[in-house]
Amino acid sequence: MSNPTTILSVSGLKKLFGNNTAISDVSFHLAKGEVVSLLGPSGCGKTTTLRCIAGFYSVDGGEIKVSGRTIASTGVFVPPEDRRLAMVFQNYVLWPHMRTFDNIAYGLRLRRMPKREIEERVNEIMRALGLSGLAQRYPHALSGGQQQRVSVARSLVVEPDILLLDEPFSNLDAKLRVDMRQEMRSLLKRLGTTAIYVTHDQEEAMVLSDRIFLMSGGKIVQEGRPIQLYERPATRFTAEFFGVSNFLPATVTEEGLDLGSGLRVRGAVERGDFKAGDKVLVAMREDGFEVTPGTEGCGENAFGATISNRLYLGGSTQLQLESNGVSFNARVVGSAPLEWPDQAMLRLRPERVMLVPDESDAR
Ligand code: ATP
């Protein structure tokens, strides 16, 4: 629902390419100053949504409003330059004959802003993005990551109503990318910029966003704060996208869960809308178990298991275990499990168990 602080309203948005429906019925509302992500796998419609908002595509249904004014619908098309939006692309283009400072200042000069104010604003943005020492360099003398930051700075400095970012850090190396996303969030928050960030990286979306819109097949399938999507996935798709690798068919019982094959869980399982007797999928993260060598201490929520595979990942070891014909993926900190015997004990933590609907036809 939109309210007085709503700056962007997207309602029932639809876009076709020939017979292919790229997005259908995409709806969301942003409050002023909110930073959100459109997240999802390749081809789910993130970029198409962003481009419809930016005005690079007309729409085939629905409506986009900025501050109450319709900028796109089937009968309306406000050109991109009149939308007061700025977009940062994965493939950015800087003016090759301009130094960093001038590239960033360009949009402000076009607006005939006083020289002093331009200097202040450009310097602040350069400081925030770690570009201060590079003010006099030409683009050819900057690394790819530095050029990308100049491109972000150039879009931010004009203080658009809404900043649209399409995977702007995807060309950066892993370390810089991690630094940049934290910088980016604090910068956007400090400037009070409303921003939509497109990414297929769930960690990036979680660090950057107040809210995440998870997309699949041209639709938003779940929205919420990062912690809600991570800890309360509504479907197997969301859980999988947020890194869950254990999905076990089970029946909800009065005491907890029945995983079949004699495996039962008792205790404080967060049931949500499920009730005793419902068939569900138990979703568990790899670190939702305690695994110990040997079979001592089997009992409530603790089963004997056989280690069938071990994968050393540096900081942790990934284990595949079998218990009564049920397979589990677990992760243990450190390398100790490499030395363990094949027999182990697997303790489930009821508070780490998540339940999602079982959508398979087989049950
Ligand atoms: P990625 O993460 O790979 O960029 P995405 O989620 O941004 O993916 P979109 O680029 O929005 O996905 O594409 C959504 C769907 O629309 C895909 O099926 C894609 O093939 C199709 N599509 C996108 N742009 C065009 C186009 N210009 N012409 C035809 N089909 C297109």
Side-chain angles (χ1 to χ4, degrees):
M1 271 299 109
S2 59
N3 66 45
T5 66
T6 301
I7 186 163
L8 176 74
S9 272
V10 175
S11 314
L13 198 65
K14 185 173 181 183
K15 178 69 190 167
L16 308 171
F17 292 107
N19 291 329
N20 179 14
T21 303
I23 52 170
S24 63
D25 204 19
V26 168
S27 301
F28 60 90
H29 304 279
L30 297 197
K32 198 164 173 4
E34 249 194 312
V35 177
V36 302
S37 288
L38 299 178
L39 174 70
S42 185
C44 71
K46 309 177 295 286
T47 297
T48 303
T49 305
L50 207 65
R51 288 181 156 258
C52 287
I53 297 169
F56 300 138
Y57 292 151
S58 60
V59 306
D60 294 309
E63 188 176 33
I64 305 171
K65 286 184 177 180
V66 174
S67 303
R69 165 187 176 228
T70 301
I71 56 165
S73 70
T74 38
V76 177
F77 182 80
V78 174
E81 60 275 19
D82 294 336
R83 294 192 179 194
R84 284 193 51 86
L85 311 174
M87 183 143 169
V88 179
F89 299 93
Q90 203 168 333
N91 299 314
Y92 45 86
V93 184
L94 300 177
W95 298 110
H97 59 288
M98 284 187 196
R99 297 173 197 268
T100 297
F101 185 98
D102 301 316
N103 255 298
I104 299 172
Y106 183 77
L108 299 178
R109 287 184 180 138
L110 275 186
R111 291 172 194 201
R112 304 191 182 285
M113 184 178 273
K115 201 171 161 207
R116 181 98 174 265
E117 213 174 310
I118 291 180
E119 262 176 33
E120 274 171 22
R121 277 221 219 169
V122 174
N123 284 333
E124 195 212 336
I125 291 282
M126 285 199 303
R127 248 194 324 275
L129 286 166
L131 295 167
S132 297
L134 307 171
Q136 297 309 317
R137 295 249 191 111
Y138 287 101
H140 69 82
L142 297 172
S143 73
Q146 289 163 343
Q147 289 182 32
Q148 204 145 16
R149 278 184 275 160
V150 175
S151 138
V152 170
R154 196 173 54 171
S155 304
L156 266 176
V157 81
V158 295
E159 298 187 354
D161 284 348
I162 304 170
L163 183 66
L164 308 171
L165 302 122
D166 193 356
E167 309 226 21
F169 305 135
S170 55
N171 297 335
L172 306 190
D173 68 56
K175 159 90 174 67
L176 191 55
R177 197 173 162 148
V178 168
D179 293 348
M180 284 297 296
R181 64 195 186 199
Q182 280 152 4
E183 284 289 344
M184 193 69 197
R185 175 162 175 92
S186 45
L187 185 67
L188 292 173
K189 285 292 158 188
R190 203 161 67 236
L191 297 174
T193 312
T194 311
I196 306 178
Y197 193 92
V198 159
T199 180
H200 58 265
D201 180 333
Q202 50 103 353
E203 207 173 278
E204 195 159 275
M206 288 205 294
V207 171
L208 263 154
S209 323
D210 299 317
R211 279 191 297 155
I212 294 173
F213 300 101
L214 181 64
M215 296 185 72
S216 171
K219 291 183 185 332
I220 293 174
V221 292
Q222 193 172 347
E223 68 172 87
R225 288 180 295 124
I227 195 166
Q228 288 172 326
L229 272 77
Y230 192 85
E231 294 189 0
R232 292 282 162 261
T235 60
R236 177 179 179 141
F237 174 80
T238 305
E240 257 177 338
F241 203 83
F242 280 80
V244 174
S245 64
N246 288 290
F247 293 95
L248 310 170
T251 306
V252 180
T253 62
E254 295 297 345
E255 301 77 34
L257 295 164
D258 183 352
L259 302 178
S261 310
L263 301 183
R264 290 173 202 283
V265 180
R266 287 167 169 268
V269 174
E270 175 60 59
R271 285 191 195 178
D273 292 335
F274 297 111
K275 54 186 190 314
D278 285 350
K279 306 276 185 214
V280 293
L281 272 188
V282 170
M284 267 178 300
R285 294 186 187 282
E286 290 182 347
D287 59 1
F289 310 97
E290 197 181 309
V291 188
T292 45
T295 49
E296 286 279 305
C298 288
E300 193 164 282
N301 300 339
F303 321 124
T306 306
I307 300 176
S308 54
N309 206 4
R310 311 164 202 232
L311 201 60
Y312 178 55
L313 300 172
S316 62
T317 304
Q318 199 175 40
L319 298 175
Q320 269 169 19
L321 303 111
E322 307 277 335
S323 183
N324 292 20
V326 181
S327 300
F328 296 87
N329 298 308
R331 191 185 285 239
V332 177
V333 174
S335 62
L338 296 175
E339 312 297 331
W340 290 354
D342 284 347
Q343 290 308 306
M345 196 195 63
L346 192 68
R347 184 184 293 279
L348 267 67
R349 299 176 180 155
E351 72 283 1
R352 300 289 308 274
V353 166
M354 301 177 284
L355 304 184
V356 295
D358 187 352
E359 287 146 2
S360 68
D361 294 329
R363 298 197 73 214

